Amino acid sequence: MASSCCCCCCKISPITHVFVFFLVVSSSFCPVRSSETGGLNPKNQTFRPGDELQKLKIIRERLNKTNKPAVKTIQSPDGDIIDCVLLHHQPAFDHPRLKGQKPLDPPERPSGVNTNGMGAEDFQLWSMSGESCPEGTIPIRRTTEADMLRASSVTRFGRKRPSRRVQRDSTGNGHEHAVGYVSGDQYYGAKASINVWTPRVSPELYGDNYPRFFTYWTTDAYHATGCYNLLCSGFVQTNNRIAIGAAISPTSSYNGGQFDISLMIWKDPKHGNWWLEFGSGILVGYWPSFLFTHLRDHASMVQFGGEIVNSRAGGFHTSTEMGSGRFAGLGFGKASYFRNMQVVDWDNNLIPLSNLRVVADHPNCYDIQGGINRVWGNYFYYGGPGRNVKCP
């Protein structure tokens, strides 16, 4: 199993058995995800031309289904190709319950939202040249043959490995956390500003080390439902300026400039769908309520923080970094953070957290320190280097 780290995610409680980013994702919807990829052992592998040809055939069939016709193509500085796809041609509308439909109009936003700050499109490499997708289209990162060849399994490309247990303290499954969470109430959304750093970011999925804005949803602990970004039918994108899965820039540096982005997910009071907002008031799209069971009504827990998957290859703890790779005690400019964490109540109001708790499964590897003040509201620093003298 590859080791991975999510260092700016907020996620729905495993108690609900559904994860979709922030409030609705396992690694939640994190703009930054780090991973240590376990390479395949070349020993005892036999080259079989027939098998390889069949694999390439499957890959090309999958690419034809995944990549939709583009009305415009944009080359990103990081090497990504961004396809501008007509709204009604996006993958979501391959779903039987969405065929023939159109994206919904924007919902009523929670009251108390501050829209000041940098726009999310200012953080995406592909759009920094001034290029954009036309109205009536959405930008989609093109999946390539190389992307699929990097995957450990072509049939499970774009999906996480199934989890044997869906509990937060699932260290027996290799998951380790440093999170702040609230529970014991009914929640209809969550919002936070997340410090962006540049650890290694899912090289298996993207082929590079850029931090990425990505999403994930599942209703059955990754067994048969859900996927990253727009790699399956599910999330309905409505925005023509944000490419889910695209690289983020600029990023924070140790004792240097610090950058963060705001993310919010909330439940539309009228239709019950879960909407995603990225940056300063920019709606990205929504997860239709019919995708879920428990989340059709509300969430019972909200978590903010980091998660890594530790396979203990060779008997050692992974050296995957969480956040900036530094421990929480180093504070601003050195450790990664979440700030201004809030939740949405039953009446669609954005309110401060009242019972935030912080926990780190293995504080010698990754730790967390919380606090509250008038400028940052509820916040915490978190992260760590992974394997070290005290975390062998």
Side-chain angles (χ1 to χ4, degrees):
M1 177 183 292
S3 299
S4 65
C5 158
C6 173
C7 30
C8 46
C9 37
C10 296
K11 59 181 183 181
I12 188 78
S13 164
I15 294 173
T16 63
H17 304 286
V18 181
F19 304 82
V20 187
F21 171 65
F22 237 165
L23 215 201
V24 258
V25 188
S26 160
S27 287
S28 197
F29 216 126
C30 300
V32 181
R33 178 181 179 80
S34 165
S35 79
E36 181 178 90
T37 305
L40 296 176
N41 187 347
K43 295 181 180 179
N44 301 322
Q45 291 186 4
T46 303
F47 179 72
R48 297 181 177 86
D51 292 345
E52 292 301 310
L53 287 173
Q54 180 62 24
K55 182 178 180 179
L56 287 174
K57 180 182 178 182
I58 293 172
I59 287 175
R60 285 164 184 164
E61 289 175 350
R62 177 74 181 271
L63 290 174
N64 287 335
K65 181 178 180 180
T66 302
N67 293 323
K68 303 299 184 181
V71 300
K72 179 181 178 180
T73 297
I74 300 171
Q75 182 73 50
S76 177
D78 62 320
D80 282 353
I81 297 174
I82 305 298
D83 290 325
C84 300
V85 176
L86 291 172
L87 270 171
H88 60 280
H89 284 170
Q90 65 179 289
F93 294 106
D94 291 337
H95 195 289
R97 294 188 61 174
L98 291 175
K99 278 188 178 295
Q101 297 186 29
K102 295 181 179 179
L104 297 176
D105 292 331
E108 178 185 352
R109 300 173 74 243
S111 60
V113 176
N114 183 353
T115 58
N116 293 329
M118 184 178 286
E121 68 271 23
D122 298 321
F123 272 92
Q124 297 214 297
L125 275 175
W126 74 274
S127 60
M128 286 185 174
S129 65
E131 291 275 13
S132 62
C133 284
E135 291 292 333
T137 70
I138 62 168
I140 301 180
R141 178 186 180 272
R142 183 183 298 179
T143 301
T144 66
E145 187 173 293
D147 291 335
M148 299 197 70
L149 285 171
R150 282 193 306 272
S152 56
S153 168
V154 172
T155 56
R156 289 193 62 83
F157 172 76
R159 296 164 62 188
K160 292 186 180 182
R161 292 175 177 82
S163 176
R164 294 195 300 269
R165 294 191 295 164
V166 197
Q167 289 142 356
R168 190 208 57 76
D169 56 350
S170 55
T171 54
N173 193 39
H175 293 268
E176 298 179 16
H177 307 77
V179 300
Y181 69 97
V182 292
S183 62
D185 207 339
Q186 296 183 359
Y187 304 105
Y188 298 82
K191 185 177 188 292
S193 292
I194 301 161
N195 190 209
V196 181
W197 288 77
T198 312
R200 293 201 298 156
V201 184
S202 198
E204 180 180 307
L205 187 60
Y206 300 109
D208 58 36
N209 296 327
Y210 285 101
R212 304 257 173 182
F213 167 57
F214 74 89
T215 67
Y216 198 100
W217 70 273
T218 181
T219 63
D220 59 1
Y222 315 115
H223 284 278
T225 63
C227 63
Y228 284 104
N229 308 329
L230 303 181
L231 293 175
C232 67
S233 302
F235 186 80
V236 179
Q237 184 162 337
T238 60
N239 191 288
N240 69 325
R241 293 178 290 169
I242 304 298
I244 301 176
I248 295 174
S249 183
T251 57
S252 302
S253 60
Y254 189 80
N255 269 340
Q258 300 298 299
F259 300 91
D260 56 35
I261 55 176
S262 293
L263 294 168
M264 180 170 70
I265 288 184
W266 83 100
K267 190 175 180 61
D268 172 14
K270 183 176 181 180
H271 296 104
N273 302 312
W274 291 91
W275 281 79
L276 167 63
E277 181 178 290
F278 181 27
S280 181
I282 300 173
L283 289 178
V284 182
Y286 60 92
W287 291 272
S289 60
F290 67 73
L291 293 174
F292 310 113
T293 52
H294 300 279
L295 280 178
R296 286 187 184 182
D297 298 320
H298 60 269
S300 58
M301 178 186 285
V302 181
Q303 293 185 1
F304 309 81
E307 176 184 78
I308 66 98
V309 178
N310 178 31
S311 63
R312 296 198 65 85
F316 296 100
H317 192 283
T318 176
S319 58
T320 298
E321 296 179 347
M322 180 185 292
S324 68
R326 276 81 174 188
F327 287 112
L330 292 178
F332 185 77
K334 300 175 181 178
S336 192
Y337 60 80
F338 275 68
R339 64 178 176 88
N340 296 118
M341 293 176 288
Q342 298 171 286
V343 292
V344 179
D345 67 10
W346 65 272
D347 200 27
N348 206 32
N349 297 307
L350 198 61
I351 59 175
L353 305 183
S354 58
N355 57 343
L356 178 69
R357 292 178 245 179
V358 296
V359 61
D361 293 331
H362 295 279
N364 287 333
C365 309
Y366 315 100
D367 67 356
I368 183 169
Q369 293 182 12
I372 184 170
N373 62 39
R374 282 193 286 181
V375 178
W376 276 20
N378 283 284
Y379 70 89
F380 60 75
Y381 290 100
Y382 73 106
R387 185 167 71 237
N388 63 76
V389 174
K390 295 182 178 180
C391 175

